[in-house]
Amino acid sequence: GIQVEQSPPDLILQEGANSTLRCNFSDSVNNLQWFHQNPWGQLINLFYIPSGTKQNGRLSATTVATERYSLLYISSSQTTDSGVYFCAVGYNQGGKLIFGQGTELSVKP
Amino acid sequence: DVKVTQSSRYLVKRTGEKVFLECVQDMDHENMFWYRQDPGLGLRLIYFSYDVKMKEKGDIPEGYSVSREKKERFSLILESASTNQTSMYLCASSFFAGGQDGELFFGEGSRLTVL
């Protein structure tokens, strides 16, 4: 099956700093999504991005499908950005997604 | 807004009890999923369904069953709960259109403790 690796596993930032999270995957995909899990456990969909670049406020994501990686950029980080960021990928399997292990982000005031 | 509602946020059950976790989505999504999340193990897929009365095993189906009698509702059943099923259970749904699966939306989760 498809393997998904996220890096770094942990990240500590000072408020206002920028960061880049990476997701590598081992096979062709047609479905790639980024999620944020807040400290209360709720998973929020950030981006649906099987290819190309998208931006939403301070967050943006880029997927280079031919090279099998995706990047999530967080600019001017805020304490509310803290939590775990997951990348998940899939390929025509009834919506089934394989999740990476996540990057745990802590933003300090 | 898409809403995925899980019936209980917190449950405490005894070993051997039958447990039902209910999930309802309000966006007419074709696909529905049950994941469990454990520290150090990430999110693991238990079962999923891409249509009414259809079900597919995920990566860890042992000890679980599911039911999808209506499009909006997907139930996870623990026939005889065991302590190793203590976990956070997450329901999710997504649409399928034009040969492509869409964004995945999660419920708030159900934290189950089996004593």
Side-chain angles (χ1 to χ4, degrees):
Chain A
I2 299 174
Q3 304 297 314
V4 184
E5 291 184 7
Q6 291 186 242
S7 60
D10 304 284
L11 187 58
I12 300 174
L13 297 176
Q14 207 65 35
E15 200 168 26
N18 302 328
S19 62
T20 301
L21 282 56
R22 188 176 180 101
C23 172
N24 292 333
F25 44 96
S26 62
D27 207 342
S28 298
V29 300
N30 68 352
N31 190 344
L32 189 147
Q33 302 183 37
W34 283 96
F35 298 87
H36 175 226
Q37 188 169 38
N38 66 25
W40 297 271
Q42 176 72 54
L43 274 153
I44 303 296
N45 194 303
L46 298 175
F47 292 103
Y48 174 86
I49 187 165
S51 63
T53 297
K54 289 186 177 179
Q55 180 155 7
N56 184 3
R58 296 181 295 103
L59 273 60
S60 64
T62 295
T63 297
V64 184
T66 53
E67 296 188 22
R68 299 181 185 170
Y69 72 89
S70 183
L71 302 174
L72 178 69
Y73 305 97
I74 304 173
S75 64
S76 304
S77 59
Q78 301 176 357
T79 56
T80 51
D81 295 331
S82 296
V84 183
Y85 290 80
F86 290 99
C87 166
V89 304
Y91 189 86
N92 281 342
Q93 290 185 289
K96 175 182 173 181
L97 294 178
I98 305 300
F99 281 75
Q101 290 298 305
T103 292
E104 184 162 8
L105 174 65
S106 179
V107 181
K108 304 295 186 184
Chain B
D1 281 354
V2 174
K3 191 146 180 77
V4 180
T5 304
Q6 295 185 227
S7 54
S8 305
R9 289 296 307 275
Y10 300 95
L11 301 95
V12 179
K13 298 292 182 181
R14 297 273 178 199
T15 301
E17 279 192 78
K18 191 169 186 176
V19 181
F20 292 87
L21 299 178
E22 306 284 345
C23 176
V24 177
Q25 50 93 4
D26 67 357
M27 283 300 293
D28 203 34
H29 283 172
E30 287 77 13
N31 304 326
M32 295 190 75
F33 308 84
W34 278 104
Y35 287 87
R36 66 177 280 180
Q37 185 176 23
D38 302 286
L41 297 175
L43 278 86
R44 295 179 291 167
L45 182 63
I46 304 171
Y47 268 96
F48 66 106
S49 168
Y50 53 87
D51 202 352
V52 175
K53 297 193 185 293
M54 303 301 291
K55 60 185 179 183
E56 295 283 343
K57 292 180 180 179
D59 301 314
I60 51 163
E62 296 79 18
Y64 303 94
S65 62
V66 290
S67 173
R68 193 166 181 201
E69 295 296 320
K70 294 185 177 181
K71 190 175 185 180
E72 67 271 18
R73 187 180 297 269
F74 193 36
S75 302
L76 180 69
I77 303 152
L78 288 66
E79 294 289 342
S80 178
S82 63
T83 55
N84 63 11
Q85 292 178 310
T86 292
S87 186
M88 170 70 92
Y89 290 88
L90 294 158
C91 176
S93 71
S94 67
F95 69 81
F96 178 79
Q100 185 68 41
D101 296 305
E103 295 173 68
L104 192 64
F105 294 91
F106 279 90
E108 291 184 315
S110 297
R111 187 168 292 282
L112 173 66
T113 301
V114 183
L115 302 176

PDB file of all heavy atoms in Angstrom, chain A residues 77-91:
ATOM      1  N   SER A  77       2.724  32.675  12.107  1.00  0.00           N
ATOM      2  CA  SER A  77       1.997  31.722  12.944  1.00  0.00           C
ATOM      3  C   SER A  77       1.408  32.378  14.194  1.00  0.00           C
ATOM      4  O   SER A  77       1.946  33.350  14.735  1.00  0.00           O
ATOM      5  CB  SER A  77       2.915  30.569  13.337  1.00  0.00           C
ATOM      6  OG  SER A  77       4.036  31.055  14.043  1.00  0.00           O
ATOM      7  N   GLN A  78       0.285  31.819  14.627  1.00  0.00           N
ATOM      8  CA  GLN A  78      -0.416  32.274  15.821  1.00  0.00           C
ATOM      9  C   GLN A  78      -0.581  31.095  16.770  1.00  0.00           C
ATOM     10  O   GLN A  78      -0.526  29.940  16.343  1.00  0.00           O
ATOM     11  CB  GLN A  78      -1.787  32.845  15.429  1.00  0.00           C
ATOM     12  CG  GLN A  78      -1.697  34.015  14.465  1.00  0.00           C
ATOM     13  CD  GLN A  78      -3.046  34.512  14.003  1.00  0.00           C
ATOM     14  OE1 GLN A  78      -4.088  33.958  14.346  1.00  0.00           O
ATOM     15  NE2 GLN A  78      -3.036  35.559  13.193  1.00  0.00           N
ATOM     16  N   THR A  79      -0.827  31.394  18.039  1.00  0.00           N
ATOM     17  CA  THR A  79      -0.960  30.309  19.022  1.00  0.00           C
ATOM     18  C   THR A  79      -2.104  29.364  18.652  1.00  0.00           C
ATOM     19  O   THR A  79      -2.055  28.170  18.953  1.00  0.00           O
ATOM     20  CB  THR A  79      -1.172  30.866  20.431  1.00  0.00           C
ATOM     21  OG1 THR A  79      -2.304  31.734  20.426  1.00  0.00           O
ATOM     22  CG2 THR A  79       0.052  31.649  20.910  1.00  0.00           C
ATOM     23  N   THR A  80      -3.106  29.898  17.977  1.00  0.00           N
ATOM     24  CA  THR A  80      -4.243  29.059  17.578  1.00  0.00           C
ATOM     25  C   THR A  80      -3.900  28.078  16.456  1.00  0.00           C
ATOM     26  O   THR A  80      -4.694  27.195  16.134  1.00  0.00           O
ATOM     27  CB  THR A  80      -5.422  29.927  17.120  1.00  0.00           C
ATOM     28  OG1 THR A  80      -4.943  30.853  16.143  1.00  0.00           O
ATOM     29  CG2 THR A  80      -6.030  30.679  18.298  1.00  0.00           C
ATOM     30  N   ASP A  81      -2.710  28.226  15.864  1.00  0.00           N
ATOM     31  CA  ASP A  81      -2.255  27.270  14.861  1.00  0.00           C
ATOM     32  C   ASP A  81      -1.724  25.986  15.496  1.00  0.00           C
ATOM     33  O   ASP A  81      -1.458  25.004  14.797  1.00  0.00           O
ATOM     34  CB  ASP A  81      -1.151  27.883  13.987  1.00  0.00           C
ATOM     35  CG  ASP A  81      -1.637  29.044  13.141  1.00  0.00           C
ATOM     36  OD1 ASP A  81      -2.828  29.074  12.779  1.00  0.00           O
ATOM     37  OD2 ASP A  81      -0.815  29.944  12.855  1.00  0.00           O
ATOM     38  N   SER A  82      -1.538  26.002  16.794  1.00  0.00           N
ATOM     39  CA  SER A  82      -1.025  24.816  17.488  1.00  0.00           C
ATOM     40  C   SER A  82      -1.942  23.619  17.272  1.00  0.00           C
ATOM     41  O   SER A  82      -3.150  23.764  17.094  1.00  0.00           O
ATOM     42  CB  SER A  82      -0.889  25.094  18.989  1.00  0.00           C
ATOM     43  OG  SER A  82       0.064  26.099  19.229  1.00  0.00           O
ATOM     44  N   GLY A  83      -1.327  22.445  17.318  1.00  0.00           N
ATOM     45  CA  GLY A  83      -2.083  21.213  17.104  1.00  0.00           C
ATOM     46  C   GLY A  83      -1.289  20.267  16.224  1.00  0.00           C
ATOM     47  O   GLY A  83      -0.081  20.440  16.044  1.00  0.00           O
ATOM     48  N   VAL A  84      -1.975  19.287  15.665  1.00  0.00           N
ATOM     49  CA  VAL A  84      -1.314  18.312  14.809  1.00  0.00           C
ATOM     50  C   VAL A  84      -1.817  18.471  13.382  1.00  0.00           C
ATOM     51  O   VAL A  84      -3.029  18.570  13.154  1.00  0.00           O
ATOM     52  CB  VAL A  84      -1.560  16.867  15.298  1.00  0.00           C
ATOM     53  CG1 VAL A  84      -0.793  15.881  14.428  1.00  0.00           C
ATOM     54  CG2 VAL A  84      -1.159  16.719  16.758  1.00  0.00           C
ATOM     55  N   TYR A  85      -0.881  18.498  12.446  1.00  0.00           N
ATOM     56  CA  TYR A  85      -1.210  18.627  11.030  1.00  0.00           C
ATOM     57  C   TYR A  85      -0.999  17.276  10.351  1.00  0.00           C
ATOM     58  O   TYR A  85       0.076  16.684  10.443  1.00  0.00           O
ATOM     59  CB  TYR A  85      -0.349  19.702  10.379  1.00  0.00           C
ATOM     60  CG  TYR A  85      -0.728  21.083  10.854  1.00  0.00           C
ATOM     61  CD1 TYR A  85      -0.269  21.565  12.074  1.00  0.00           C
ATOM     62  CD2 TYR A  85      -1.587  21.888  10.104  1.00  0.00           C
ATOM     63  CE1 TYR A  85      -0.650  22.820  12.530  1.00  0.00           C
ATOM     64  CE2 TYR A  85      -1.969  23.141  10.551  1.00  0.00           C
ATOM     65  CZ  TYR A  85      -1.508  23.593  11.761  1.00  0.00           C
ATOM     66  OH  TYR A  85      -1.891  24.836  12.226  1.00  0.00           O
ATOM     67  N   PHE A  86      -2.042  16.817   9.693  1.00  0.00           N
ATOM     68  CA  PHE A  86      -1.990  15.536   8.999  1.00  0.00           C
ATOM     69  C   PHE A  86      -2.107  15.725   7.496  1.00  0.00           C
ATOM     70  O   PHE A  86      -2.902  16.537   7.015  1.00  0.00           O
ATOM     71  CB  PHE A  86      -3.144  14.630   9.442  1.00  0.00           C
ATOM     72  CG  PHE A  86      -3.043  14.110  10.834  1.00  0.00           C
ATOM     73  CD1 PHE A  86      -3.747  14.704  11.867  1.00  0.00           C
ATOM     74  CD2 PHE A  86      -2.244  13.007  11.126  1.00  0.00           C
ATOM     75  CE1 PHE A  86      -3.668  14.216  13.169  1.00  0.00           C
ATOM     76  CE2 PHE A  86      -2.163  12.510  12.420  1.00  0.00           C
ATOM     77  CZ  PHE A  86      -2.868  13.125  13.445  1.00  0.00           C
ATOM     78  N   CYS A  87      -1.337  14.927   6.798  1.00  0.00           N
ATOM     79  CA  CYS A  87      -1.473  14.774   5.364  1.00  0.00           C
ATOM     80  C   CYS A  87      -2.120  13.412   5.132  1.00  0.00           C
ATOM     81  O   CYS A  87      -1.798  12.444   5.839  1.00  0.00           O
ATOM     82  CB  CYS A  87      -0.076  14.837   4.734  1.00  0.00           C
ATOM     83  SG  CYS A  87       0.043  14.293   3.033  1.00  0.00           S
ATOM     84  N   ALA A  88      -3.021  13.323   4.149  1.00  0.00           N
ATOM     85  CA  ALA A  88      -3.666  12.044   3.841  1.00  0.00           C
ATOM     86  C   ALA A  88      -3.777  11.912   2.327  1.00  0.00           C
ATOM     87  O   ALA A  88      -4.097  12.883   1.638  1.00  0.00           O
ATOM     88  CB  ALA A  88      -5.046  11.970   4.493  1.00  0.00           C
ATOM     89  N   VAL A  89      -3.547  10.691   1.829  1.00  0.00           N
ATOM     90  CA  VAL A  89      -3.544  10.475   0.383  1.00  0.00           C
ATOM     91  C   VAL A  89      -4.395   9.267   0.032  1.00  0.00           C
ATOM     92  O   VAL A  89      -4.624   8.372   0.846  1.00  0.00           O
ATOM     93  CB  VAL A  89      -2.104  10.263  -0.157  1.00  0.00           C
ATOM     94  CG1 VAL A  89      -1.212  11.441   0.212  1.00  0.00           C
ATOM     95  CG2 VAL A  89      -1.499   8.957   0.327  1.00  0.00           C
ATOM     96  N   GLY A  90      -4.857   9.246  -1.242  1.00  0.00           N
ATOM     97  CA  GLY A  90      -5.650   8.123  -1.713  1.00  0.00           C
ATOM     98  C   GLY A  90      -5.655   8.038  -3.225  1.00  0.00           C
ATOM     99  O   GLY A  90      -5.239   8.979  -3.904  1.00  0.00           O
ATOM    100  N   TYR A  91      -6.146   6.909  -3.722  1.00  0.00           N
ATOM    101  CA  TYR A  91      -6.237   6.726  -5.172  1.00  0.00           C
ATOM    102  C   TYR A  91      -7.429   5.845  -5.492  1.00  0.00           C
ATOM    103  O   TYR A  91      -7.337   4.625  -5.448  1.00  0.00           O
ATOM    104  CB  TYR A  91      -4.954   6.113  -5.739  1.00  0.00           C
ATOM    105  CG  TYR A  91      -4.939   6.126  -7.247  1.00  0.00           C
ATOM    106  CD1 TYR A  91      -4.487   7.249  -7.933  1.00  0.00           C
ATOM    107  CD2 TYR A  91      -5.411   5.045  -7.985  1.00  0.00           C
ATOM    108  CE1 TYR A  91      -4.496   7.292  -9.313  1.00  0.00           C
ATOM    109  CE2 TYR A  91      -5.426   5.077  -9.363  1.00  0.00           C
ATOM    110  CZ  TYR A  91      -4.970   6.204 -10.028  1.00  0.00           C
ATOM    111  OH  TYR A  91      -4.983   6.252 -11.390  1.00  0.00           O
TER     112      TYR A  91
END
